[in-house]
């Protein structure tokens, strides 16, 4: 019933917007074209950008390209010192891939290769020869034997490395490892995990830091590790799993050398001032991240550049096209509009965190964030709106889609709630500061965080239609005097996420 009521209200709001300027709205939206987004993506996701890591020359070139586009539209700079660029400090952590980080004393044949056989969350702590204890399958509600205290914890992770799956298991065991004073942790990954799957996450996660070293071993290395300990390897990934037990004779050395370099990295911020004397002091933000994960180990084809065409050159191109559409209107909307391209998303939503802590306008005057991340793939006739039920933006998006059948887009709810996507893109930093937010995406795919995420894989025509939908939604918000509002469900999600952050 709540969704139905909100839809009726949103339809009335949309009707008012359309009757006040529908022709101008349609003409502006029509400036968003498949050929334009294709041109942007071909530039941003070109090999010369080297995967747009944070920090990197490719990221700087992307920021300069976006700033030039915004300037050509006649938008107002909203970055530092009258420019389009907002900079923030980033401590770049680099793990030495040639270092021998995990060792079995007396067994030089155990020599797994970083980013092929294992990933690591580094630590400043070096671990001398320390006994290991198998604590069972990493899962919520697991129990740690008291006898494991102070040892290196070894746990089974019976999942392929689907986005979010192994992280959830690590999140379940990590607080217990802290409680029981683990010296280190080894995750034995499912035999189904291949080298390419591991490579996708090895680089980004190695730039994080933990209180003790955490290793994820592919089974080719994990089976060597536990050989001769008496652990029932065949049972590890069965439905019942293997029970916790000491691993006699297994001692490990761990060392994760990391170098730290502080860099100044860019966000790009542009603004279109509103036309209403009162509402122009309130702001609608469109956001996307322009960074990706850089260059990594080569895949089977020899390609080592993670171009990030969908993730998130697609969203970046959409923001530039939406900005051009707003600038093409004969009169700006009532509210002001901010166009934000952030970096550091792949490092932990860092650019949007900095922006929301240091916005060019008071954060309380930002009424909504419309975030776009990965909109160039999958079903041609639908787009997922993450947070559809969390604010009044969701029902309004449904009404916009229904009122514009030429878009040929169904707005779908989150069909992968287990992935916690609401907490994994830049809108989340707006949400935790009480700004109603919605996140458009067309979902994950097999090329996610993979060198094969190339411009040729993008459905540019669909991408343009999703960008038009986002434009029309933002237009409706920018014209309506009433601010978007949270639902009870949305507030519950944000409060739970804030409580989890506080507990970490």
């Amino acid at each position: 019933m709540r969704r139905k009521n909100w839809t009726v209200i949103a339809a009335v709001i949309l009707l008012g917007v359309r009757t006040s300027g529908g022709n101008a709205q349609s003409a502006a939206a029509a400036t968003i074209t498949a050929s334009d987004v294709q041109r942007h993506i071909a530039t941003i996701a070109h090999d010369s950008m080297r995967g747009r890591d944070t920090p990197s020359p490719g990221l700087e070139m992307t920021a300069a390209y976006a700033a030039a586009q915004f300037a050509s539209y006649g938008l107002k700079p909203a970055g530092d010192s009258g420019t389009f660029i907002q900079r923030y400090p980033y401590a770049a952590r680099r793990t030495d891939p040639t270092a021998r980080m995990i060792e079995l004393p007396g067994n030089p044949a155990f020599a797994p290769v970083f980013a092929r056989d294992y990933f690591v969350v580094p630590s400043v702590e070096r671990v001398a020869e320390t006994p290991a204890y198998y604590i069972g399958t990493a899962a919520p509600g697991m129990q740690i034997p008291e006898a494991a205290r102070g040892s290196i914890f070894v746990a089974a992770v019976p999942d392929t490395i689907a986005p979010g799956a192994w992280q959830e298991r690590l999140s379940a065991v990590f607080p217990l490892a802290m409680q029981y004073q683990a010296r280190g942790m080894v995750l034995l990954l499912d035999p189904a995990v291949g080298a390419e799957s591991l490579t996708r996450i090895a680089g980004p996660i190695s730039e994080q830091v933990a209180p003790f070293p955490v290793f994820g071993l592919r089974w080719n290395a994990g089976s060597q590790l536990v050989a001769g300990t008496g652990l029932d390897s065949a049972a590890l990934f069965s439905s019942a799993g293997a029970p916790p037990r000491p691993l006699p004779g297994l001692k490990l050395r761990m060392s994760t050398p990391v170098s730290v370099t502080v860099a100044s990295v860019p966000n790009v911020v542009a603004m279109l001032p509103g036309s209403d004397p009162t509402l122009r002091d309130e702001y609608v933000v469109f956001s996307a991240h322009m960074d990706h994960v850089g260059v990594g180990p080569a895949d089977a084809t020899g390609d080592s550049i993670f171009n990030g065409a969908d993730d998130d050159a697609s969203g970046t191109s959409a923001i530039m096209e939406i900005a051009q559409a707003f600038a093409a209107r004969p009169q700006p909307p009532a509210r002001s509009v901010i166009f934000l391209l952030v970096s550091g998303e792949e490092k932990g939503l860092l650019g949007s965190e900095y922006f929301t802590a240091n916005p060019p306008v008071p954060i309380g005057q930002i009424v909504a964030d419309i975030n776009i991340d990965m909109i160039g793939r999958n079903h041609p006739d639908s787009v997922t709106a993450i947070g559809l039920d969390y604010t009044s933006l969701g029902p309004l998006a449904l009404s916009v889609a229904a009122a514009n059948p030429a878009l040929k887009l169904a707005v779908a709810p989150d069909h992968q709630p287990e992935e916690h996507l609401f907490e994994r893109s830049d809108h989340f930093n707006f949400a935790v500061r009480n700004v109603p937010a919605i996140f458009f995406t067309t979902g994950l795919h097999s090329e996610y965080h993979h060198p094969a995420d190339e411009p040729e894989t993008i459905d540019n025509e669909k991408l343009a239609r999703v960008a038009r939908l986002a434009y029309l939604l933002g237009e409706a918000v920018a014209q309506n005097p009433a601010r978007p509002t949270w639902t009870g469900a949305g507030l519950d999600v944000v409060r739970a996420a804030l409580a989890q952050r506080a507990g970490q």
Side-chain angles (χ1 to χ4, degrees):
M1 292 297 294
R2 182 165 56 224
R3 176 180 292 181
K4 181 178 180 181
N5 289 342
W6 274 116
T7 303
V8 171
I9 294 169
V12 172
I13 293 171
L14 181 61
L15 181 61
V17 171
R18 292 180 70 205
T19 56
S20 66
N23 291 337
Q25 185 187 56
S26 299
T31 67
I32 301 172
T33 66
S35 60
D36 280 353
V37 297
Q38 183 177 30
R39 172 172 54 85
H40 293 314
I41 291 174
T43 300
I44 298 166
H46 191 268
D47 279 357
S48 62
M49 295 296 189
R50 305 290 290 173
R52 310 185 307 281
D53 198 7
T54 302
S56 69
L59 178 66
E60 295 291 341
M61 288 191 288
T62 301
Y65 174 80
Q69 295 297 312
F70 289 151
S72 73
Y73 307 152
L75 298 173
K76 177 183 176 182
D80 301 333
S81 304
T83 72
F84 289 100
I85 305 298
Q86 178 193 55
R87 290 196 173 272
Y88 64 96
Y90 171 67
R93 304 176 60 84
R94 294 287 185 263
T95 301
D96 180 0
T98 66
R100 192 163 184 181
M101 290 184 263
I102 181 168
E103 299 178 77
L104 280 172
N107 184 0
F110 180 74
V113 176
F114 174 71
R116 186 192 69 189
D117 301 322
Y118 72 90
F119 66 76
V120 63
V121 185
S123 171
V124 296
E125 297 294 326
R126 295 174 61 93
V127 181
E129 294 185 24
T130 302
Y133 197 106
Y134 180 72
I135 60 171
T137 299
M142 68 184 302
Q143 302 293 316
I144 304 295
E146 180 60 33
R149 184 178 295 274
S151 63
I152 292 173
F153 285 10
V154 179
V157 182
D159 290 296
T160 57
I161 302 186
W166 71 268
Q167 291 97 323
E168 286 187 18
R169 290 191 176 271
L170 178 57
S171 296
V173 71
F174 199 83
L176 295 173
M178 295 282 290
Q179 179 183 343
Y180 283 83
Q181 301 172 325
R183 297 292 311 283
M185 187 182 301
V186 175
L187 306 177
L188 302 175
L189 303 179
D190 194 291
V193 175
E196 286 195 9
S197 296
L198 189 141
T199 296
R200 297 183 195 186
I201 65 162
I205 201 168
S206 70
E207 297 174 16
Q208 307 300 315
V209 63
F212 46 75
V214 178
F215 288 82
L217 296 184
R218 282 180 59 213
W219 186 236
N220 62 322
S223 59
Q224 294 179 51
L225 185 76
V226 299
T229 64
L231 186 64
D232 185 356
S233 300
L236 289 180
F237 304 103
S238 66
S239 57
R245 52 158 296 159
L247 299 175
L250 178 59
K251 293 184 178 182
L252 294 170
R253 283 198 296 258
M254 296 176 172
S255 176
T256 54
V258 172
S259 61
V260 180
T261 304
V262 178
S264 175
V265 294
N267 292 330
V268 185
V269 196
M271 184 187 301
L272 178 67
S275 58
D276 184 89
T278 300
L279 291 179
R280 73 192 319 169
D281 291 328
E282 295 182 351
Y283 304 85
V284 179
V285 174
F286 286 90
S287 62
H289 73 92
M290 58 185 173
D291 65 308
H292 195 52
V293 298
V295 179
D299 65 9
T301 71
D303 189 359
S304 62
I305 300 174
F306 290 64
N307 299 87
D310 195 25
D311 185 18
D312 186 30
S314 66
T316 301
S317 68
I319 297 300
M320 289 189 286
E321 285 295 286
I322 290 166
Q324 184 179 33
F326 271 100
R329 290 176 53 86
Q331 181 182 36
R335 284 192 176 93
S336 299
V337 187
I338 292 174
F339 307 98
L340 172 65
L341 296 173
V342 300
S343 59
E345 191 269 357
E346 301 288 1
K347 311 297 187 185
L349 314 184
L350 300 182
S352 57
E353 182 177 29
Y354 184 86
F355 177 88
T356 53
N358 302 273
V361 300
I363 192 71
Q365 290 172 216
I366 297 177
V367 304
D369 174 55
I370 300 170
N371 188 55
I372 304 174
D373 193 348
M374 298 179 64
I375 57 167
R377 299 289 297 275
N378 298 330
H379 306 289
D381 56 353
S382 68
V383 60
T384 298
I386 306 296
L388 188 66
D389 297 325
Y390 295 168
T391 72
S392 56
L393 295 170
L396 182 55
L398 294 170
S399 293
V400 169
N404 293 272
L407 293 174
K408 299 179 181 178
L409 282 174
V411 178
D414 185 2
H415 64 284
Q416 295 176 300
E418 70 280 0
E419 298 290 352
H420 299 282
L421 294 179
F422 189 76
E423 301 164 26
R424 288 174 52 188
S425 195
D426 293 295
H427 62 285
F428 186 65
N429 281 318
F430 288 87
V432 298
R433 289 170 172 83
N434 203 36
V435 177
I438 194 167
F439 165 26
F440 286 115
T441 183
T442 54
L444 303 172
H445 46 73
S446 60
E447 285 76 43
Y448 172 70
H449 282 199
H450 191 283
D453 185 7
E454 298 269 14
E456 294 76 18
T457 67
I458 300 298
D459 184 343
N460 296 294
E461 193 272 335
K462 175 186 178 174
L463 195 163
R465 286 186 286 120
V466 175
R468 290 184 206 120
L469 172 66
Y471 164 82
L472 293 170
L473 173 62
E475 202 340 294
V477 176
Q479 290 286 72
N480 178 35
R483 287 184 170 210
T485 55
W486 288 94
T487 66
L491 288 174
D492 288 345
V493 168
V494 173
R495 287 167 182 160
L498 284 171
Q500 184 178 11
R501 277 190 177 187
Q504 289 178 344

